[in-house]
Every structure is written in structure tokens, then in C-alpha cells.
Amino acid sequence: MSTKLATPQELLSLGRVELGTSSWVQITQEQVNEFADATGDRQWIHIDTERAKSGPFGGTIVHGYLTLALAPAFLDEVLEIASYDAVLNYGVNKVRFPAPLHVGARVRGHVTLLSAKLRDKGTVEATYGIKYEIEGKDRPPCAAESVYLYQ
């Protein structure tokens, strides 16, 4: 399921609505290692596959912030806006990481438009609820409210 709009202004009339669910994405150990290198977060639970086998999660887990960073890809897949000048990640209102996401597991995002409002100079501020789902698991690895500005 995806939602197609001509302009960001159409978000203003939607109210709170589920926009869709993304495809499954599998995060590899290579992606986790590259994220660790890029951010300096090289904690062993993420990158040391041998040590992590006997750790608290039984294997390496994806960084919470790498999981959160999937939000734009999930949003882009479920919401198509044909015409805008720019879209900016404005911030995050709430983020929680209720369950670990194991490297190699598949994850997807359920995206809901929580609110949209008109700001100055025609900018639309949209807040999206994104609930991540791990295939075959009950608890989400992440739940977030992401805010974007459309100009």
C-alpha cells in the first residue's frame, strides 16, 4: 500500500491516516560495520560476531540509530509526492528501541501521518509515526515520530 499526492499541501487535508507499509529490508553485518566506522560506535555487540554469540543477544545487533535511519527509505516507499522544491528532516519527537534488531533479520516500517500543518512561506510540516516490525517477532525494534518540512 502506498499513498500518492501531487503536492505536500495535500497532506493538510488527510488528517491522521495510515500511509502504508514498506517492503522488508535485511540489514547485513557489512552495513552494521560501515555504520560503526562512520559514527565511531564500535561497541562489540554490533561488530564482534564471535564475542556477540555469547553475549546478551546471542549475536550481533543493529545499532539503534542505524535502525532509525531507515525511516526516510520507509517513508519514501509508502508516500510519493510528485512536486516539491525540497524536503528536510526536521527532527524526531519520540524514539524508542523496545527490542533488539539482530543482524540478518528482516525489518519493515508501518508509516502513519500523525499531523500536518502549514508554516510560514508555504512550508508544510508533517509528523509521521513509524513503527518498525521485525519479521516473525512481536516487539518492534523501533518506534519513532519523525518530522519533515516540505518546501
Side-chain angles (χ1 to χ4, degrees), residues 43 79 93-95 142 147:
Q43 189 177 166
L79 177 63
N93 292 336
K94 294 180 185 177
V95 178
C142 183
V147 184

Side-chain angles (χ1 to χ4, degrees), residues 2-151:
S2 66
T3 302
K4 296 181 181 188
L5 304 175
T7 68
Q9 285 70 23
E10 291 183 30
L11 291 165
L12 301 170
S13 64
L14 292 181
R16 185 182 183 111
V17 63
E18 185 176 331
L19 297 175
T21 300
S22 74
S23 301
W24 292 106
V25 174
Q26 188 171 32
I27 305 300
T28 66
Q29 187 64 56
E30 181 180 0
Q31 289 170 301
V32 169
N33 293 346
E34 289 173 357
F35 187 85
D37 290 343
T39 63
D41 182 353
R42 301 190 51 77
Q43 189 177 166
W44 65 269
I45 62 173
H46 304 302
I47 61 170
D48 189 336
T49 57
E50 287 307 309
R51 183 177 177 190
K53 287 178 186 176
S54 60
F57 305 109
T60 52
I61 60 171
V62 179
H63 298 78
Y65 287 119
L66 174 53
T67 304
L68 178 63
L70 299 172
F74 292 159
L75 183 59
D76 189 53
E77 186 176 337
V78 302
L79 177 63
E80 179 183 326
I81 299 177
S83 178
Y84 56 85
D85 291 331
V87 60
L88 304 169
N89 179 348
Y90 188 58
V92 182
N93 292 336
K94 294 180 185 177
V95 178
R96 296 291 181 268
F97 302 107
L101 175 58
H102 288 83
V103 172
R106 294 187 347 145
V107 63
R108 67 181 178 181
H110 301 280
V111 182
T112 301
L113 175 65
L114 300 177
S115 66
K117 64 182 179 182
L118 191 60
R119 293 172 47 127
D120 61 334
K121 300 179 184 175
T123 298
V124 174
E125 178 182 312
T127 302
Y128 301 98
I130 305 173
K131 184 175 180 184
Y132 297 66
E133 174 188 6
I134 304 170
E135 187 174 39
K137 303 285 184 181
D138 292 331
R139 291 181 52 213
C142 183
E145 286 185 10
S146 293
V147 184
Y148 289 83
L149 299 179
Y150 296 88
Q151 300 174 335

